[in-house]
Amino acid sequence: MSPSALPDNQNHNSDAHFESDLNLSLCGLGVEYPPFLVGPEALETLANRYYPPSAALKKVLSINRYTGIETRAAIGDVDHPLVNQPNAPSIKELNSLFRQEGVRLSVNACKKATQEWGGNLDDITHVISTTCTNSANPGFDHYVVKQLGIRSSVEKILLHGIGCSGGMAAMRTAAHVALGSSYRQKPARVLVLACEISSVLVRSELDSIDEEQKTRVGVCLFSDCASAAILSNGIGEDKSSRPVYDLLGWKHQIIDDTEEDLGFDVDPLGWKVVLTQRVPTLAAAAVSPCFQDLIQSIPDLQQSDQPPNAADFDWALHPGGSLIITGVEQAMKLTPEHLRASYEIYMNYGNSSSATIISVLNKLRESEGREQVVACAFGPGIALEMMVLRRRNTGASKTLTQNGTHEDSGFNGASLSHDQPSSANGVVSPNNDSQAGSMPSTTTTNGVNVNETTSTNGISTANLPIEELD
């Protein structure tokens, strides 16, 4: 039941082949966003309240209007006390907030995943968690397990230092753990958890923009979320269990000499985003060779004379930014429809770092789609995580939505736009329906170029300026 490493003289990057039936499945997914959705105006409101005008700040606020994000999920609105103090919150204050809000979101996400799975919490054998917005000891997973009522002896692993790729790295780690249990002929029910609280880092990022006079775009992208999944090796599983996805194979690799391009640096006031101009290009260029290696390592995908190409799959791409999404779309010759779930999550909730990928997978399974799915994410390193999954139900199904309700959902041709209803303070009601607007064909704002918008299948995309410009 474990992948067997086989020599490959033709491609040194293809270092493992997977067995035809790993018997690994995701049996439940849960996503919990906080109740507030803030529009681009929220950042401008805080900037104007606490910081003097400057060239760098002006450029960041211009970029903020053209990220393609209509609303971002946040634990509070623009008037939240923690971001309205005279100074940016300390790491002690950030930790206290995470201990409260992060644990609460995590518990709710886990409850949704376990509810869909339908099993007993006593059957959870392992908990594998990740976050890059908290580093306290014991980790937040300790408190989540305690509040859920899972036995204290459950085996826990908390992953750190992997940023936006954390959700996929946690699933990959869970798969290896479950395969180890399969080898021992023991059941494995692994609770995978990712949680990020990024919104309260806004003042720290604005401090750096003001003091260093650099264009830091992380402050325009990130949001809050917790997501969870139950991974099973099938041994002893109740026959009534209905898996959502089967895992067919996965791959992890590091793009050489990119440590300085993408990161989340430790700072006295929390963490600071590192994101250079090179990231979208590096990411897009790395996807194709990784995809080819992974496809070749999965026997189930080698049944015909013609190996599958990227367009034969639905794609659950971590929406790190609009240039990353459109870059991968172009590099892999995809259409926006292939990436519909990534676009929807990005536009409606923003980039919630490690917690986002499970949210994208959750959104993807709400609508009709292709049988196989490629999940992909990038993290510090630059690390590339990729996984191939098989849907158990390729048709639209009634599933738990982001707010825990049931509905049928499909891609409605939404566009990466910036015209949305919002209040004066930048807070958008979670129940408001965003109106898809149109982007100008070419716009220059304070030297920031927004390139021509193209439309495929009624879905607009744009080369938007989300990279960091010095």
Side-chain angles (χ1 to χ4, degrees), residues 25-351:
S25 300
L26 295 179
C27 296
L29 303 178
V31 179
E32 183 75 1
Y33 283 105
F36 293 94
L37 294 175
V38 297
E41 297 85 356
L43 178 63
E44 193 156 348
T45 297
L46 286 173
N48 291 335
R49 277 181 187 173
Y50 298 105
Y51 300 90
S54 68
L57 183 58
K58 190 174 183 180
K59 183 178 286 187
V60 169
L61 295 180
S62 295
I63 291 172
N64 181 56
R65 302 183 193 107
Y66 293 98
T67 60
I69 298 171
E70 296 181 1
T71 52
R72 286 190 278 169
I75 54 96
D77 62 15
V78 72
D79 296 317
H80 190 282
L82 201 59
V83 298
N84 283 278
Q85 303 175 142
N87 300 308
S90 67
I91 196 166
K92 182 178 180 179
E93 290 172 310
L94 295 172
N95 179 63
S96 296
L97 181 79
F98 193 100
R99 182 69 56 82
Q100 178 181 351
E101 297 294 336
V103 170
R104 181 184 61 81
L105 292 176
S106 298
V107 168
N108 289 340
C110 290
K111 285 181 177 178
K112 290 180 180 179
T114 54
Q115 178 185 353
E116 182 178 23
W117 164 50
N120 193 309
L121 287 176
D122 291 338
D123 294 332
I124 298 292
T125 57
H126 306 79
V127 178
I128 297 178
S129 309
T130 185
T131 184
C132 62
T133 50
N134 186 259
S135 57
N137 298 285
F140 81 104
D141 57 332
H142 170 85
Y143 299 97
V144 173
V145 165
K146 191 172 182 180
Q147 288 194 26
L148 286 171
I150 297 175
R151 69 185 191 284
S152 59
S153 60
V154 70
E155 295 187 40
K156 300 194 301 293
I157 299 172
L158 179 56
L159 304 177
H160 184 66
I162 47 181
C164 291
S165 63
M168 286 203 61
M171 286 193 289
R172 170 173 56 83
T173 303
H176 282 294
V177 167
L179 287 174
S181 294
S182 298
Y183 180 79
R184 299 167 60 202
Q185 299 183 359
K186 292 182 176 292
R189 308 290 181 266
V190 187
L191 175 58
V192 177
L193 169 63
C195 179
E196 306 292 359
I197 304 292
S198 304
S199 62
V200 288
L201 300 176
V202 58
R203 290 290 305 280
S204 177
E205 286 285 353
L206 288 171
D207 279 358
S208 292
I209 293 167
D210 180 53
E211 294 165 6
E212 301 170 9
Q213 286 299 293
K214 290 185 177 180
T215 311
R216 304 176 59 84
V217 299
V219 72
C220 307
L221 301 175
F222 288 97
S223 58
D224 306 338
C225 180
S227 61
I230 302 291
L231 188 146
S232 170
N233 68 353
I235 296 178
E237 191 71 78
D238 191 317
K239 292 183 179 179
S240 64
S241 176
R242 299 181 60 188
V244 182
Y245 293 102
D246 293 330
L247 276 64
L248 303 184
W250 51 86
K251 186 173 178 66
H252 164 82
Q253 73 177 51
I254 298 292
I255 304 174
D256 291 338
D257 302 318
T258 59
E259 294 89 348
E260 304 300 319
D261 287 287
L262 182 60
F264 205 42
D265 283 351
V266 177
D267 184 85
L269 299 178
W271 297 266
K272 297 290 177 72
V273 176
V274 177
L275 179 63
T276 72
Q277 305 181 57
R278 301 201 313 156
V279 171
T281 302
L282 290 167
V287 171
S288 182
C290 183
F291 172 78
Q292 297 300 331
D293 285 348
L294 179 54
I295 294 304
Q296 292 170 17
S297 72
I298 300 174
D300 285 357
L301 301 179
Q302 306 299 319
Q303 304 288 331
S304 64
D305 296 336
Q306 184 79 22
N309 59 47
D312 294 325
F313 299 80
D314 275 335
W315 281 69
L317 176 68
H318 170 74
S322 60
L323 280 180
I324 290 176
I325 305 174
T326 56
V328 171
E329 180 183 315
Q330 294 164 11
M332 302 305 291
K333 297 180 171 58
L334 304 172
T335 68
E337 187 269 339
H338 287 93
L339 293 155
R340 58 195 180 277
S342 298
Y343 277 119
E344 286 196 53
I345 294 300
Y346 179 72
M347 289 189 295
N348 295 326
Y349 298 99
N351 175 356

